Amino acid sequence: MKTLLLKNGYIYPISREPFVGDILIEDGIIKQIGENLQVKAEEVIDATNKYILPGFIDAHSHIGLFEEGVGAAYQDGNEATDPVTPQVRAIDAFYPEDAAIKRALSGGVTTVMIVPGSANPIGGQGAILKLNSQLTDEAILREPAGLKMALGENPKRVYGSYNKTPSTRLGNAAVIRDYFTKVRNYIEKKKSAEKEGKAFTETDIKFEIGEKVLNKQIPARIHAHRKDDILTAIRLSEEFGFDLVIEHATEAYKIPDFIKEKNIPLILGPLLGFRTKLETRDMRFESIKIINEKGILASLMSDHPVTHLEHASIQAATALRYGAKEEDLLKMLTLNPAKILKIEKHLGTIDEDKDADLVLWSGHPFDPRSVVEKTLINGIVVYEL
């Protein structure tokens, strides 16, 4: 049983107030937390004057799908040849040697939800990965973990250029509605075959994943920036009865009471950078404060490579200027995405019996002068300054 002791660090558990103390790790799990632990360990890391936080979790990323420094030939995040591609899986395009992964670790990010891009109304299957292995299959925490879908400008632009459906917001919603109607019919065929004692021989991988969505085994992860697209996503979720997470949610701050009433989680961002589309022209950093004050479960995304994952802390810190609270922002990088991804039993806070995914910072992560000195995943150092 391998043991590691982080000694005398300034610990930010997220689940309670920060304190100076020690963390004992056994076989990749946090075994004990406290002040001045009197325990023996095979290895001791002096964390004096270091800030220890949970690894950041980005619940919407394209890292490893849109690789850095390789050109268009290796951008594998969009199967933009058909508006309905639920059968494609992000893990089949994930490249664990993407140069961005090391830099993400240098910014304290340890877990990501990778999703296909937003070219298609039905884009494909996402997966939750830890950034700790050169073998994709060893990095997977959950797969499939959601069905990526998209409303708004992206799919209408892509397929409008082909002069085919969808070329409008009308078409986007119709494509999604048509897909789930077919999934419903597929499920009924299965049930009928079962009732009649017959073998079901018409398996269709496009509909199998949709069945998981309608059975609430995985959520629909719908890209929606503008208020009207957010409302359409909610309308579709209620029509077909699936669980929903809104991706980007740029204009969610315009209808926070409605979103709170519907209990829809949000993954906000990216907020750093240029407003590249009409549907992002009303992007505001103040939205973070508004959403948190309403008590809506929300996390922050970098939308890597739109904003590099290594700068996740900088994006969050920028929101301080616009009235957001430090404790809310730290949760949006740790506990909240863990809750949205339903991995909070293992990740998101520094507590006993959770995975030892920990980051040692030279100072507070919202101080732009601070750097990550060590990143641990499952108690193993995967990045060191």
Side-chain angles (χ1 to χ4, degrees), residues 147-173:
L147 179 59
K148 174 66 186 302
M149 297 153 63
L151 295 168
E153 291 183 33
N154 287 20
K156 59 178 279 192
R157 181 186 69 248
V158 170
Y159 291 96
S161 69
Y162 302 155
N163 197 29
K164 63 181 290 188
T165 302
S167 64
T168 63
R169 282 181 163 82
L170 304 172
N172 287 340

Side-chain angles (χ1 to χ4, degrees), residues 294-347:
K294 291 294 182 180
I296 296 167
L297 179 60
S299 69
L300 282 171
M301 71 156 87
S302 297
D303 200 21
H304 182 97
V306 177
T307 301
H308 290 183
L309 267 178
E310 64 193 285
H311 300 311
S313 62
I314 302 299
Q315 175 175 241
T318 303
L320 292 170
R321 180 183 296 175
Y322 299 89
K325 295 179 180 178
E326 176 188 309
E327 57 267 32
D328 290 336
L329 292 167
L330 287 173
K331 286 180 180 179
M332 293 179 84
L333 295 171
T334 55
L335 179 58
N336 290 4
K339 286 180 175 179
I340 291 170
L341 298 179
K342 302 188 185 304
I343 54 174
E344 72 273 19
K345 288 184 179 180
H346 303 284
L347 296 168

Side-chain angles (χ1 to χ4, degrees), residues 109-338:
V109 179
T110 55
T111 300
V112 294
M113 167 88 170
I114 56 168
V115 291
S118 52
N120 300 343
I122 308 286
Q125 302 167 40
I128 305 168
L129 311 178
K130 289 193 180 188
L131 300 178
N132 66 330
S133 179
Q134 293 293 295
L135 298 174
T136 301
D137 296 78
E138 289 184 354
I140 295 170
L141 285 182
R142 185 174 300 157
E143 194 281 327
L147 179 59
K148 174 66 186 302
M149 297 153 63
L151 295 168
E153 291 183 33
N154 287 20
K156 59 178 279 192
R157 181 186 69 248
V158 170
Y159 291 96
S161 69
Y162 302 155
N163 197 29
K164 63 181 290 188
T165 302
S167 64
T168 63
R169 282 181 163 82
L170 304 172
N172 287 340
V175 168
I176 293 170
R177 188 170 281 111
D178 178 69
Y179 170 70
F180 281 112
T181 299
K182 289 175 179 176
V183 172
R184 276 180 172 172
N185 293 339
Y186 180 78
I187 293 170
E188 288 305 312
K189 281 186 179 180
K190 271 189 172 183
K191 288 179 179 177
S192 295
E194 184 180 344
K195 284 180 182 178
E196 295 173 13
K198 297 179 180 178
F200 184 73
T201 59
E202 301 177 39
T203 301
D204 189 319
I205 59 173
K206 282 191 171 186
F207 298 145
E208 286 288 316
I209 191 67
E211 183 176 2
K212 289 182 184 293
V213 174
L214 294 191
N215 289 340
K216 298 190 175 184
Q217 294 172 264
I218 60 172
R221 304 285 302 265
I222 302 186
H223 163 118
H225 282 280
R226 227 167 61 166
K227 178 176 70 174
D228 54 343
D229 291 322
I230 294 170
L231 294 172
T232 297
I234 294 172
R235 190 180 311 118
L236 287 165
S237 74
E238 292 181 341
E239 181 177 340
F240 290 96
F242 54 70
D243 289 335
L244 171 65
V245 179
I246 299 290
E247 316 282 307
H248 303 295
T250 300
E251 293 188 4
Y253 70 89
K254 295 182 178 181
I255 49 170
D257 291 322
F258 184 79
I259 291 170
K260 175 64 177 177
E261 178 190 341
K262 298 296 184 180
N263 195 30
I264 306 295
L266 309 175
I267 304 177
L268 300 173
L271 294 167
L272 287 174
F274 184 59
R275 291 169 175 81
T276 56
K277 299 181 288 185
L278 280 172
E279 63 187 12
T280 60
R281 65 182 178 180
D282 286 344
M283 180 175 71
R284 296 173 58 191
F285 260 104
E286 290 90 346
S287 66
I288 294 175
K289 176 177 182 286
I290 294 167
I291 293 300
N292 281 317
E293 286 181 346
K294 291 294 182 180
I296 296 167
L297 179 60
S299 69
L300 282 171
M301 71 156 87
S302 297
D303 200 21
H304 182 97
V306 177
T307 301
H308 290 183
L309 267 178
E310 64 193 285
H311 300 311
S313 62
I314 302 299
Q315 175 175 241
T318 303
L320 292 170
R321 180 183 296 175
Y322 299 89
K325 295 179 180 178
E326 176 188 309
E327 57 267 32
D328 290 336
L329 292 167
L330 287 173
K331 286 180 180 179
M332 293 179 84
L333 295 171
T334 55
L335 179 58
N336 290 4

